[in-house]
Amino acid sequence: MKKIVFILIVSISVSAFSQERFTLTDCYQLLETNYPLVKQHQLLENQHQKDAEIISNSKLPQFNIDAQATYQSDVIELPVAMSSIEPQNKDQYRATFSINQLIYNGGVTNANLKIKQGQLKTKQKQIDANIYQLKTQINQLYFSILLTQESLKLLEVKELQLQTKLKEVKSGIKYGSLLPAADSVLEAELLKIKQQFIEVESSKLSFIETLSSLVGKPFSSLTIFETPLIFTQLQNEINRPELELFRLKKEEVNNYKSLISKQNLPKVNGFATGGYGNPGLNMLDNSFQTFYTVGIKLHWNVFDWNTNKKQQKVVAINKDFIENETEIFKLNTRIALNKQQKEIEKITAFINSDLEIIALRKKVLKTLDSQLKNGVITSSIYTTEFTNLFEAENTLLKHKIQIELAKANYNTIKGE
């Protein structure tokens, strides 16, 4: 009883797994979710958060503690008329606690934060662009799997037809209308089909394993990959993630330009210092004293030998580089789209020819089928033409898969 239950559970599990279906869109989504590079999005977010905290800390008060002990070879000596004042000690001591508070720095801190935010967006979009480029590889693998699926179906049909024909030939041999060795050719062809089954199954398993590694999802040879209905609108506007990447790079350059323009603006800091030392602020009092100072400091670099302007020009050149890269990318993408369009047109012409060839070969095979039954031709001649028909049908199958692959690649290149 336990064995029966176990067999039932296994049967149900296999049946459920065999019904698992996936589409090309599913594979795209799995790639964007499971590919290892996706993890870098969160890593970049964490890194950006720490960088932003570090930059923002410049707005907080800065605390410093300093202490020193010195011995001087000489000290200030007062004239003889003032000799009643005790001279300073040559050994001196000082400990201070200071607070510095940024009041105004021309917006440099906010500009740096904006640069970091722009860098985060650029790096994340670069990741998206790198992952998107893998879609072409997904297309190749997915349609290779579809080709093996359809090839297996075609082999099954061919095998069934040959088995039927073999029964007819054996019957003809039995009743003396065909030569005794007439069935050997058909049996050899059936053995060849079994080899083809093994070859196609092996290729399918290899493609599935590679696809599984890319999308981070385990598949089985029993998984069904559905044939997509792909529509292409030729000469549409390009919508690739790389274009958004170029836009973010230009935005990043503008952020650098904004930072450079703020670097020479006045900077104002407030400060306070308290201490204990000998001597204190009163240099004439040769004893340990407490003291403090408070104030505001202004710093303004009024002349930098045109360094700022030169930096602005360097940034402008970088922006021109990005513009040039954008134009090159658009040009190469249009060339690739045109090439793919020509491929679609070529395969369409092939399919039309394939249909004509198959119609003619079916007509020939129908005639040979009648001649084989009547013993006019050998089974070898029939098998040769049968194989020719199978090859023609297989070529049509390949072309149908190829044209769908070409359409998928066209949409991928375009950015859909």
Side-chain angles (χ1 to χ4, degrees), residues 160-187:
L160 182 60
Q161 290 175 344
L162 278 179
Q163 286 173 346
T164 302
K165 183 55 60 180
L166 180 61
K167 289 179 181 178
E168 293 178 1
V169 170
K170 285 184 179 293
S171 177
I173 293 172
K174 181 179 179 179
Y175 293 105
S177 60
L178 295 176
L179 296 174
D183 58 345
S184 298
V185 175
L186 295 176
E187 288 175 344

Side-chain angles (χ1 to χ4, degrees), residues 203-214:
S203 297
K204 181 182 178 182
L205 185 60
S206 176
F207 293 138
I208 287 176
E209 287 176 351
T210 306
L211 181 63
S212 176
S213 298
L214 275 176

Side-chain angles (χ1 to χ4, degrees), residues 254-268:
N254 289 334
N255 291 337
Y256 274 111
K257 185 177 181 181
S258 176
L259 174 63
I260 292 170
S261 68
K262 298 176 186 299
Q263 285 179 339
N264 283 349
L265 293 177
K267 296 175 179 59
V268 180

Side-chain angles (χ1 to χ4, degrees), residues 16-17 64 131 152 230 255 281 289 312 333 347 366:
F17 194 78
N64 297 289
I131 293 174
L152 289 171
I230 300 175
N255 291 337
L281 296 182
Q289 309 163 37
Q312 297 275 11
T333 303
I347 299 174
K366 187 176 181 181

Side-chain angles (χ1 to χ4, degrees), residues 295-317:
I296 294 178
K297 180 180 178 181
L298 170 68
H299 174 79
W300 189 3
N301 185 8
V302 295
F303 184 70
D304 67 349
W305 302 97
N306 288 326
T307 300
N308 197 278
K309 289 183 179 179
K310 291 174 183 177
Q311 289 175 333
Q312 297 275 11
K313 289 180 180 179
V314 171
V315 169
I317 292 172

Side-chain angles (χ1 to χ4, degrees), residues 213-256:
S213 298
L214 275 176
V215 302
K217 169 74 177 180
F219 296 123
S220 163
S221 58
L222 299 175
T223 303
I224 298 174
F225 295 88
E226 297 183 350
T227 303
L229 295 175
I230 300 175
F231 302 95
T232 57
Q233 295 181 354
L234 304 182
Q235 302 302 328
N236 262 19
E237 183 180 357
I238 300 170
N239 189 31
R240 290 282 293 272
E242 289 87 345
L243 295 179
E244 177 65 12
L245 175 62
F246 291 133
R247 188 193 68 78
L248 290 172
K249 283 184 176 181
K250 285 188 284 187
E251 186 178 298
E252 192 175 335
V253 169
N254 289 334
N255 291 337
Y256 274 111

Side-chain angles (χ1 to χ4, degrees), residues 93-361:
Y93 308 91
R94 173 177 291 237
T96 59
F97 176 74
S98 302
I99 301 175
N100 289 275
Q101 174 63 58
L102 175 66
I103 298 174
Y104 176 76
N105 68 349
V108 170
T109 301
N110 290 335
N112 277 319
L113 286 172
K114 197 169 183 181
I115 285 174
K116 287 297 181 181
Q117 183 65 38
Q119 288 175 341
L120 172 65
K121 291 180 180 178
T122 301
K123 290 177 181 178
Q124 288 183 330
K125 186 53 66 173
Q126 181 67 66
I127 291 172
D128 293 340
N130 291 341
I131 293 174
Y132 187 87
Q133 290 172 3
L134 292 172
K135 283 188 175 182
T136 302
Q137 191 174 349
I138 294 292
N139 291 344
Q140 188 65 49
L141 289 168
Y142 190 88
F143 284 97
S144 294
I145 293 171
L146 289 184
L147 180 59
T148 57
Q149 283 185 171
E150 297 304 317
S151 295
L152 289 171
K153 292 178 184 177
L154 194 60
L155 280 171
E156 288 171 359
V157 172
K158 181 183 179 183
E159 183 181 42
L160 182 60
Q161 290 175 344
L162 278 179
Q163 286 173 346
T164 302
K165 183 55 60 180
L166 180 61
K167 289 179 181 178
E168 293 178 1
V169 170
K170 285 184 179 293
S171 177
I173 293 172
K174 181 179 179 179
Y175 293 105
S177 60
L178 295 176
L179 296 174
D183 58 345
S184 298
V185 175
L186 295 176
E187 288 175 344
E189 191 64 26
L190 283 169
L191 289 174
K192 189 187 294 184
I193 289 176
K194 291 185 183 299
Q195 290 179 336
Q196 290 173 337
F197 267 117
I198 295 172
E199 183 179 1
V200 175
E201 283 284 6
S202 176
S203 297
K204 181 182 178 182
L205 185 60
S206 176
F207 293 138
I208 287 176
E209 287 176 351
T210 306
L211 181 63
S212 176
S213 298
L214 275 176
V215 302
K217 169 74 177 180
F219 296 123
S220 163
S221 58
L222 299 175
T223 303
I224 298 174
F225 295 88
E226 297 183 350
T227 303
L229 295 175
I230 300 175
F231 302 95
T232 57
Q233 295 181 354
L234 304 182
Q235 302 302 328
N236 262 19
E237 183 180 357
I238 300 170
N239 189 31
R240 290 282 293 272
E242 289 87 345
L243 295 179
E244 177 65 12
L245 175 62
F246 291 133
R247 188 193 68 78
L248 290 172
K249 283 184 176 181
K250 285 188 284 187
E251 186 178 298
E252 192 175 335
V253 169
N254 289 334
N255 291 337
Y256 274 111
K257 185 177 181 181
S258 176
L259 174 63
I260 292 170
S261 68
K262 298 176 186 299
Q263 285 179 339
N264 283 349
L265 293 177
K267 296 175 179 59
V268 180
N269 287 276
F271 64 91
T273 301
Y276 181 72
N278 181 4
L281 296 182
N282 183 359
M283 303 296 293
L284 300 180
D285 186 350
N286 192 20
S287 64
F288 282 90
Q289 309 163 37
T290 58
F291 57 88
Y292 72 90
T293 58
V294 294
I296 294 178
K297 180 180 178 181
L298 170 68
H299 174 79
W300 189 3
N301 185 8
V302 295
F303 184 70
D304 67 349
W305 302 97
N306 288 326
T307 300
N308 197 278
K309 289 183 179 179
K310 291 174 183 177
Q311 289 175 333
Q312 297 275 11
K313 289 180 180 179
V314 171
V315 169
I317 292 172
N318 288 336
K319 192 172 183 179
D320 290 339
F321 269 117
I322 296 171
E323 290 283 1
N324 182 251
E325 288 177 350
T326 305
E327 291 304 314
I328 292 172
F329 176 79
K330 287 181 178 179
L331 175 62
N332 290 336
T333 303
R334 291 191 186 99
I335 291 172
L337 285 173
N338 184 61
K339 181 180 178 181
Q340 210 64 40
Q341 182 179 343
K342 298 298 181 186
E343 182 74 9
I344 292 171
E345 293 172 356
K346 180 187 74 174
I347 299 174
T348 300
F350 284 166
I351 289 175
N352 293 332
S353 298
D354 290 337
L355 293 172
E356 293 179 10
I357 291 170
I358 289 171
L360 291 172
R361 291 206 177 279

